[in-house]
Amino acid sequence: RLTSVRVVCNNTLQLATNRSGSVVQVRHNSIFNAGDVKSKLGEFNDAFKTFEQTAKTLANVKISSAQALDVFTKILGGDEKKPSRAAARALTLFEGAGIEIDKTCYGFYNANTEYVNHHIPSKKDFAYSVLLGNRADTMNKTKSVIVDFMDKK
């Protein structure tokens, strides 16, 4: 799978490839079809271009800590005056408690991904939670809320 990001979970994989299950695979006992492989690789190139545009768009939109808190509360609960514990913790990651993050929508997305995938305990299998469970739902909500934020800017 081709991607420019360090894929640590399904959320970053989905952001990077904008599709699921895309693999170029030629089994050793099959007849090699170069045209088919080139076509599939072309699809990856298109997916990469889409990811690149998405990443550039997110990286070019600045977001302050106050704005980030407002967006975190829409995703993780609470409000600006009394954010949920989850929203407050995600904000500390955005402000640099984990790694230094640019104050952009791309940095926001990464801080939220770190919080959702690495700081929330899960009763279910981690892979299930990321692919089909609450973590997947939260990351889908994140995409929607951050797009709404950017549209209002």
Side-chain angles (χ1 to χ4, degrees), residues 25-103:
Q25 185 176 34
V26 180
R27 297 183 53 91
H28 72 278
N29 59 355
S30 66
I31 297 172
F32 179 75
N33 182 334
D36 188 40
V37 172
K38 285 181 184 179
S39 174
K40 287 181 180 177
L41 289 173
E43 291 174 18
F44 284 133
N45 191 37
D46 293 343
F48 179 79
K49 286 179 183 175
T50 300
F51 161 74
E52 181 181 31
Q53 184 60 39
T54 300
K56 284 180 179 178
T57 300
L58 290 171
N60 286 325
V61 178
K62 299 287 185 193
I63 183 170
S64 69
S65 290
Q67 292 169 318
L69 179 60
D70 181 49
V71 178
F72 279 129
T73 60
K74 288 180 173 123
I75 299 164
L76 300 169
D79 58 44
E80 287 182 46
K81 293 182 182 188
K82 186 164 171 71
S84 68
R85 185 178 281 169
R89 177 65 181 133
L91 180 65
T92 64
L93 293 170
F94 176 75
E95 292 175 334
I99 58 171
E100 187 171 335
I101 292 179
D102 290 337
K103 301 301 183 258

Side-chain angles (χ1 to χ4, degrees), residues 73-144:
T73 60
K74 288 180 173 123
I75 299 164
L76 300 169
D79 58 44
E80 287 182 46
K81 293 182 182 188
K82 186 164 171 71
S84 68
R85 185 178 281 169
R89 177 65 181 133
L91 180 65
T92 64
L93 293 170
F94 176 75
E95 292 175 334
I99 58 171
E100 187 171 335
I101 292 179
D102 290 337
K103 301 301 183 258
T104 64
C105 288
Y106 189 73
F108 173 91
Y109 187 86
N110 285 311
N112 192 69
T113 299
E114 180 181 342
Y115 178 74
V116 169
N117 288 334
H118 305 288
H119 296 267
I120 298 175
S122 180
K123 294 178 183 176
K124 293 188 178 190
D125 175 64
F126 179 77
Y128 172 84
S129 184
V130 168
L131 294 171
L132 303 168
N134 293 339
R135 294 171 204 268
D137 294 342
T138 302
M139 292 313 297
N140 287 332
K141 184 176 181 181
T142 299
K143 290 176 197 171
S144 174

